[in-house]
Amino acid sequence: MTGVQTCALPIYSRTSVGILLIDSTTTIKAKTFREGFIPSETATGTFVISSQGHSLPVLSISMDPSHLWDQKFGIYVEGVNGIPGNCSDARNWNREWNRHSVIEYFDSLGIRRVEQDADVRIGGACSRNFPQKSLVIRARSKYGSSLFDYNFFPNRNNKSCGGFILRNSGNDFNLTHFRDAFAQRLASKAMDIDFLDYQPVVVYLNGAYWGIQNIREKADTDYIKDNYGYGEDEIDLLEIAGVKASVSGSWYEFDGYLNKLAQLNRTRPETFQYIDEHIDVDSYISYMVAEIYLGNTDWPGNNVRLWRPRKTGGKWRWGLWDMDFSFGLFEGFTNAFHPGLTFATQADQESWPNPAFSTLHFRLALENPTFRLKFINRMQAAMETVFQPDSVNRMIDMFASRIASEIPAHKKKWGGTPEDWQFEVSRLKKFALDRHGFMKQHMIEFFGLKNETLPLNVTVQDPVTGTFNLNEIRIQNAEFFGRLLQGSEVMLKPRSAVGYRFLKWKKSEMTFNESTIIEKGSSWKYFDQGILPSANWYMPDYSDLQWSEGKAELRSEEHTSELQSHSFI
């Protein structure tokens, strides 16, 4: 509803009928009583009144205010009855207290799809200290049903779920406010990796505007049940959160696999067969490619979850989880020049973020030539497709445009300006641009590869008939053109559209005519003030009249061997 609404709601008593005037967002709860009869169930209705309307779905949470704000038992306050943890002293919000609530979900058309009693508690780790907090919301049989009979997630086909996380974007709170969801979807859209789906919503808490929060799948046994069909007693679901822990089952089988791998001659071909018998190799390689390329530094000693079906031949899979620290969240620590391969294989660290026990499996696997070559080939293919800067920036724009209309109100609620948000989005784009060149050189140096590339062009004659995978990367537009390091292996796998079948590959030679585009010693415009010049500095119509000018090749005065990260040309 937009504008001020007058709602005529019947309020029945023995003597009168009243009219209730509502001129601001309000949640109304009603119950009928009659002497000698059991009272009716409580009916809940939220009336959203906004001058500009909302393009996003709306989630309304109504609950006893004391369960939120009371100093003794309120879950949203520092309070006087808390415990230490999650980067803070004793706080009520560190308690795992569940509180009764009523959840209403209105889709983007304003149609109410869910109205259900549920439990709510505070979620997250250190992000609990932000003023807007993540909430874990669960349907409960004690309230009538243990499921929400609605699919909240655009990339899932499930008709119901047991609960979800209403996330404050974690450590990305009030920055881009979509970093983790974007990083997970970017990688999983083209690679076989488990990920947590995302739906941004506008939240009202007891009728008060609460800004944008992200409905996310919860990485628990319900996730495995909803997406793979295995029940809690049919799986091992493990995590690393500073230390090894178990969500369901135990580490016994994985530790047995890892201990034997450590004892084998890992240079032999049969060792790869042993690895392949125990883990989903292709999914694991894609997972490692994503975590390393996207620069997640709150990992692998934290935010790791892996699972397997407890059956003969059941293989371990890893899933993306909490990638707030990716894409340069903290400049200088998680920046585009973070040496992810070195970081993920360090053997001399004892604590967060990459203690030796958390890097052991990847270190052992890389010692096998077959596994190592698969990883190299997958990383190169990903860099030339899903992680290619233009491709990354298109998805950044898609995620940003989804919430852009709500950002002014969100910033007014939680601080900052829309311009702050636009700057944070531009930082994602700068990371995408800088990361590509750095990771290519990092791969060459880490694996001792030759710095020589060859072009590869693969085209489907008619895109309607299907597309293909390149080294297990799903090609989206039925065409690939890029450059791969000389000596790389290329594996192509056709994916036929419904009603078509693959016929054959046709090989053709590529010819090139060399020409000089920019002469050596040409004059360049450059900006090296240590900040981003403007969010649209790379667009053709951007004016660089105020930039400095010099002749190629441009180099920093302090470091003549490399162009500095704060320079733009």
Side-chain angles (χ1 to χ4, degrees), residues 211-222:
I212 303 168
Q213 291 195 240
N214 302 322
I215 294 181
R216 304 295 303 276
E217 291 180 286
K218 196 172 186 303
D220 59 9
T221 55
D222 282 350

Side-chain angles (χ1 to χ4, degrees), residues 1 30 41 72 161 172 189 199 353 391 397 492 502:
M1 293 164 50
E41 294 184 357
K72 289 184 178 180
C161 68
D172 183 50
K189 188 174 184 180
Q199 173 62 61
S391 177
D397 287 338
L492 297 173
F502 174 72

Side-chain angles (χ1 to χ4, degrees), residues 112-129:
R112 189 171 75 171
R113 300 295 186 180
V114 174
E115 187 263 312
Q116 187 168 333
D117 291 45
D119 272 347
V120 171
R121 67 171 175 85
I122 302 296
C126 296
S127 63
R128 295 176 186 229
N129 296 285

Side-chain angles (χ1 to χ4, degrees), residues 394-550:
R394 282 194 296 272
M395 187 167 283
I396 291 172
D397 287 338
M398 182 184 76
F399 270 74
S401 63
R402 201 171 178 182
I403 65 173
S405 63
E406 197 63 40
I407 286 295
H410 177 88
K411 285 290 185 178
K412 183 177 180 180
K413 171 67 178 178
W414 299 114
T417 66
E419 289 72 28
D420 297 337
W421 176 75
Q422 290 167 357
F423 174 75
E424 292 298 331
V425 172
S426 73
R427 287 186 61 231
L428 295 183
K429 294 185 175 183
K430 184 179 184 302
F431 180 97
L433 184 66
D434 292 344
R435 188 64 169 168
H436 196 264
F438 171 79
M439 275 303 300
K440 177 184 174 183
Q441 189 62 36
H442 188 33
M443 286 278 291
I444 290 169
E445 293 174 356
F446 186 88
F447 290 108
L449 307 175
K450 289 184 178 180
N451 190 8
E452 298 176 3
T453 61
L454 291 174
L456 175 67
N457 181 215
V458 184
T459 305
V460 176
Q461 191 173 37
D462 182 356
V464 173
T465 64
T467 182
F468 57 93
N469 289 359
L470 170 65
N471 291 344
E472 298 301 329
I473 303 294
R474 294 187 290 267
I475 304 302
Q476 304 297 322
N477 56 4
E479 182 175 20
F480 170 82
F481 183 78
R483 301 188 71 91
L484 302 178
L485 290 170
Q486 190 170 346
S488 301
E489 287 187 355
V490 174
M491 184 179 72
L492 297 173
K493 183 186 297 183
R495 301 198 333 261
S496 301
V498 176
Y500 294 89
R501 65 179 179 85
F502 174 72
L503 184 60
K504 64 179 180 180
W505 295 107
K506 183 179 179 181
K507 181 180 178 181
S508 61
E509 298 296 329
M510 299 176 67
T511 59
F512 297 90
N513 295 318
E514 292 189 4
S515 61
T516 300
I517 298 176
I518 300 175
E519 295 284 352
K520 185 176 182 179
S522 299
S523 183
W524 292 74
K525 287 294 195 71
Y526 65 92
F527 182 92
D528 61 351
Q529 302 304 307
I531 59 173
L532 194 68
S534 176
N536 66 334
W537 68 271
Y538 54 87
M539 300 298 291
D541 59 351
Y542 176 76
S543 174
D544 60 4
L545 293 177
Q546 303 301 316
W547 288 26
S548 302
E549 189 170 346

